[in-house]
Amino acid sequence: MRWKVFRNSQGPQPGRLLRWVAGLGLLSGTQCGPGHAPAASDPSHYVSYQVNPRRQTLRLYWQDERGQQLRSIRRLREWLASRGQRLLFATNGGMYKAGNVPLGLLQQQGVVRTPLDTAQGVGNFYLQPNGVFYLTAGGQPGIVPTAAFPGVPDVRYATQSGPLLVLNGRVHPAFQPHSTNLHIRNGVGILPNGNALFAMSKEKVSFHDFATYFQRQGCQTALYLDGFVSRTYLPEQHWVQTDGDFGVIIGVTEPAR
């Protein structure tokens, strides 16, 4: 999605945010208990897909071989089919600027296509800390705050977005449980088994409920990707959305049979 302003019915609380960030180094061992979450955090409210990139082919897409932007899941599926690949799963992979240019970092096959954005600004992307979802050469997925990304070795694919939903098992403190800021949302988290968990809400949800969903799945880290423009393609779960007008698209493929 293009530029968006973060709005919350009760607003972010800077004091809580500063305490959250300051305490992160003490929370690395925190685990997520089941607790009591709002109904909108229940798994039935989400279409989700767990990916093991060490065994599955997970890639970030933006342009075809001629430099033409793919933009929609339908176009990506057709383009992959022409190259002998079948699309198993796809979702939009982050926010974008005018002309469908990714907002922040996009790295493909080890090449930086658009640079890391460390600026201050307004909108969801700039609600700190934001972060980067990445995939290493060995197929290990990860999510780190933007400031920590330059120290991550052997990155092959990466996309930047924000804000972080969960970090060290803690929900972002700017998110309020009873917020009326409701939208369709999609994001990605890292599960305890090292796999990536992609999820999109089937109905409008708050940031707090969305983050709590990832927390309850056991994700120590999770990253918001985008809002009401979000789409997911997952035929095995009978969820097929092939429209959209995106920058980065995340896709999982297998050789066509």
Side-chain angles (χ1 to χ4, degrees):
M1 183 183 174
R2 295 173 187 168
W3 295 92
K4 300 182 295 183
V5 175
F6 178 85
R7 295 187 178 90
N8 192 297
S9 61
Q10 299 180 33
Q13 297 184 12
R16 294 182 63 201
L17 177 56
L18 289 173
R19 291 193 295 272
W20 185 64
V21 173
L24 290 177
L26 303 176
L27 298 171
S28 58
T30 302
Q31 296 298 318
C32 310
H36 297 282
S41 298
D42 188 274
S44 66
H45 288 259
Y46 300 88
V47 53
S48 64
Y49 186 67
Q50 183 177 156
V51 182
N52 180 350
R54 297 169 293 282
R55 297 187 177 184
Q56 297 170 273
T57 302
L58 171 65
R59 298 289 183 265
L60 305 182
Y61 300 94
W62 180 34
Q63 299 173 330
D64 64 18
E65 71 279 5
R66 298 176 297 173
Q68 298 296 312
Q69 295 172 359
L70 293 164
R71 300 181 63 153
S72 72
I73 295 175
R74 179 182 295 108
R75 173 87 192 284
L76 173 63
R77 183 178 62 177
E78 293 171 351
W79 180 73
L80 288 168
S82 72
R83 301 167 70 85
Q85 295 292 310
R86 184 166 78 94
L87 186 63
L88 303 177
F89 164 81
T91 192
N92 47 302
M95 303 176 195
Y96 56 91
K97 300 181 286 188
N100 298 75
V101 175
L103 176 58
L105 177 71
L106 171 61
Q107 188 165 333
Q108 295 175 301
Q109 297 181 328
V111 177
V112 174
R113 303 294 306 281
T114 57
L116 192 71
D117 187 340
T118 59
Q120 300 294 312
V122 297
N124 295 331
F125 181 92
Y126 292 106
L127 179 61
Q128 299 300 315
N130 56 11
V132 177
F133 169 71
Y134 66 87
L135 184 65
T136 68
Q140 182 65 46
I143 296 170
V144 293
T146 294
F149 178 75
V152 180
D154 300 322
V155 173
R156 297 295 292 168
Y157 291 89
T159 183
Q160 185 182 7
S161 192
L164 286 171
L165 300 168
V166 178
L167 185 57
N168 289 335
R170 300 289 290 258
V171 169
H172 198 300
F175 304 155
Q176 301 300 302
H178 303 294
S179 170
T180 56
N181 174 24
L182 307 178
H183 287 292
I184 298 294
R185 306 186 192 276
N186 77 320
V188 57
I190 305 299
L191 293 164
N193 63 7
N195 292 346
L197 175 66
F198 294 93
M200 186 186 76
S201 62
K202 297 177 182 178
E203 299 176 353
K204 295 179 179 180
V205 296
S206 69
F207 268 114
H208 187 274
D209 286 348
F210 192 43
T212 301
Y213 163 79
F214 283 102
Q215 184 190 53
R216 286 172 63 84
Q217 305 314 303
C219 296
Q220 289 289 297
T221 55
L223 179 68
Y224 177 68
L225 292 174
D226 212 338
F228 67 89
V229 302
S230 299
R231 301 288 188 274
T232 293
Y233 176 83
L234 188 53
E236 73 173 30
Q237 293 186 22
H238 308 290
W239 192 275
V240 178
Q241 295 176 312
T242 60
D243 60 336
D245 188 14
F246 310 125
V248 179
I249 304 175
I250 299 170
V252 176
T253 64
E254 69 175 9
R257 298 168 183 170

